[in-house]
Structures are given as structure tokens and as C-alpha cells.
Amino acid sequence: MDKFPLIKFVIFFICGILLQFYFQIEKRVLLYLFLLSASTSAIFLLYIKINSIKNISLLSSIILIGSLFYSLNEKEKSVYPFKEPKIRNVFVYGKIYSIDLQKKDRINFYLNTDSLNYENGKLKTDLNILVRVSDTKIKLDSLYELLSIGNSILINATIFKPRNQRNPGEFDYEKYLSSQNISALSNVYKTSDVIITNNYKSVIANEIFELRKGIDKIISKIHNKSTASLLRG
């Protein structure tokens, strides 16, 4: 590894990213630690010729650079905004900002909300939610062809809190969605409960999505189900 010093730097940079991912150190603390470490490195580099301490200080600076990089580029986290873990029969108004490729039994898309109407009142708020629509294959196919990124829609859905980590080592779905700035999940059980109120389309985002749909159709035609599922991801 001594012949490839860049590899060593990359490894310690990644260690800094992982450190910040797991421990979520405040940006201000990271900045203070980095300035201290960088200053120490400069002093040892210029005035004190103790290689072991100089190397430790330099590598610490690289780790902190990785942590700062992750912290500065981390997406804003969202939290579930309701006291109730599940709310049925919620009317949600919002705009579609992303759509997943169609799955066998459902359609997933992502909605930036404008308002939510439910039994306890009306909440006008800006949230990102993952919407999962279930119905028959024919009805899902029809809805999938109608939806476009940028559409404004009204849905009648069940809103609920994502599952968090219940056991050590278990995947924390709530934490993952929060890191993607998604506050809640919602299930829609009939395609008729998805109403497009404005057909506006985000041109560039929608063209990219249409290209993905076209490629997906080609993959599904020339490969069996298991291979196509693997290629789709």
C-alpha cells in the first residue's frame, strides 16, 4: 500500500464518511476538530520531524474531511409528523416528484404534499411521502401509463409510520426513508382513489422516466422474469 499512497487516503476518507453516518457528529464540532487536526499536521510537517505523530495527525485530518464531506452533503432528514402511527381515509393533495418502475402488484411514486384532510382536521404542510398503489394488474397498467412526474394529484390513502429498527442488526426502514427526506408511507387500495387534478409534466424528469420505462419494456420482452427483475434492480 506504500506504493499507492492515494489508496490509503481514500480508505481513511471513507472511514470518515462511515464515522459520520453512524455517529452523526455536529458540523460545528467536526469543523473545530478538523481545524485543530490540520493545524497540528502543519506544525509537525514544518517544524517537528516526528514521523509517527505527523502521520497520525495527517490521517486524522483526512478522516475528518470525509466526515465533513458527508455532513455537508447529507440530505435533510424528515420525521413522521403525526401522533397516530396509522391514519385511515386521508385525502392528500400534492405533486408527483418521482415514479418507480412498475412492480408486479403495485405502483410506487413519491408525492410532495400540499395539504392533508382527515378526521381530525386539515393539515397544510410540505411533506414527502411514498405512495404505494395496489389493484388488479389491468388497472395498475392503465394508471401507470397515465401518471407523469410533475402531475398534481389527489389520493385517498392510509398514512402510516415506517417500521423502525426493532432488533439489533435489523434494517431500519424509518431511518432510511428519513435520510431520503421521506416522512411517511401511504397505501392506496384502488386506482380510482388516485385522481390527476393537473396534467402538468416536468419535461426533463419525465423524459428520463419515459426512457427508463422504454428500456424496462425491452428488458422484460427479451429476458425471463428472474433475469429481468435482476437487471431492473
Side-chain angles (χ1 to χ4, degrees), residues 4-58:
F4 304 97
L6 183 59
I7 295 176
K8 187 186 299 183
F9 292 152
V10 171
I11 290 173
F12 280 93
F13 182 82
I14 293 171
C15 287
I17 292 175
L18 294 174
L19 177 72
Q20 182 62 16
F21 176 78
Y22 285 107
F23 294 100
Q24 296 294 308
I25 304 168
E26 290 185 19
K27 291 184 179 72
R28 181 177 58 183
V29 175
L30 283 175
L31 185 59
Y32 288 156
L33 289 173
F34 170 70
L35 292 174
L36 178 62
S37 180
S39 300
T40 304
S41 298
I43 291 170
F44 277 97
L45 187 65
L46 296 173
Y47 302 108
I48 304 174
K49 305 302 181 182
I50 304 177
N51 289 333
S52 59
I53 299 178
K54 180 176 66 177
N55 290 338
I56 291 172
S57 182
L58 180 60

Side-chain angles (χ1 to χ4, degrees), residues 92-139:
V92 184
Y93 295 84
K95 180 178 290 187
I96 297 173
Y97 68 88
S98 184
I99 306 173
D100 287 344
L101 293 174
Q102 185 177 0
K103 300 185 183 300
K104 181 180 179 180
D105 57 348
R106 69 181 187 274
I107 297 170
N108 291 348
F109 58 85
Y110 302 83
L111 192 65
N112 179 243
T113 68
D114 177 63
S115 64
L116 298 90
N117 294 338
Y118 59 108
E119 186 178 0
N120 292 339
K122 181 176 181 179
L123 178 65
K124 191 169 181 62
T125 184
D126 181 10
L127 298 174
N128 292 330
I129 63 174
L130 168 55
V131 182
R132 306 185 296 194
V133 185
S134 304
D135 209 325
T136 63
K137 180 72 165 57
I138 293 175
K139 291 181 178 179

Side-chain angles (χ1 to χ4, degrees), residues 177-230:
L177 290 179
S178 177
S179 71
Q180 302 300 306
N181 199 24
I182 297 172
S183 302
L185 296 173
S186 69
N187 283 343
V188 177
Y189 300 105
K190 297 183 296 182
T191 57
S192 59
D193 285 335
V194 179
I195 301 171
I196 299 173
T197 59
N198 189 318
N199 277 308
Y200 170 81
K201 299 178 182 179
S202 178
V203 177
I204 296 176
N206 206 62
E207 286 300 320
I208 293 172
F209 175 59
E210 290 297 329
L211 178 61
R212 290 179 62 214
K213 283 171 65 176
I215 294 172
D216 182 54
K217 287 179 180 178
I218 294 172
I219 289 173
S220 298
K221 284 182 179 179
I222 63 178
H223 294 287
N224 58 42
K225 289 184 178 179
S226 58
T227 304
S229 297
L230 182 63

Side-chain angles (χ1 to χ4, degrees), residues 63-104:
I63 290 173
L64 290 167
I65 289 172
S67 296
L68 276 169
F69 174 82
Y70 180 85
S71 179
L72 293 171
N73 288 277
E74 188 178 17
K75 293 180 180 178
E76 182 183 353
K77 291 187 176 181
S78 298
V79 295
Y80 184 73
F82 307 105
K83 293 180 180 179
E84 306 92 334
K86 179 184 284 189
I87 310 174
R88 292 182 173 87
N89 198 33
V90 184
F91 291 91
V92 184
Y93 295 84
K95 180 178 290 187
I96 297 173
Y97 68 88
S98 184
I99 306 173
D100 287 344
L101 293 174
Q102 185 177 0
K103 300 185 183 300
K104 181 180 179 180

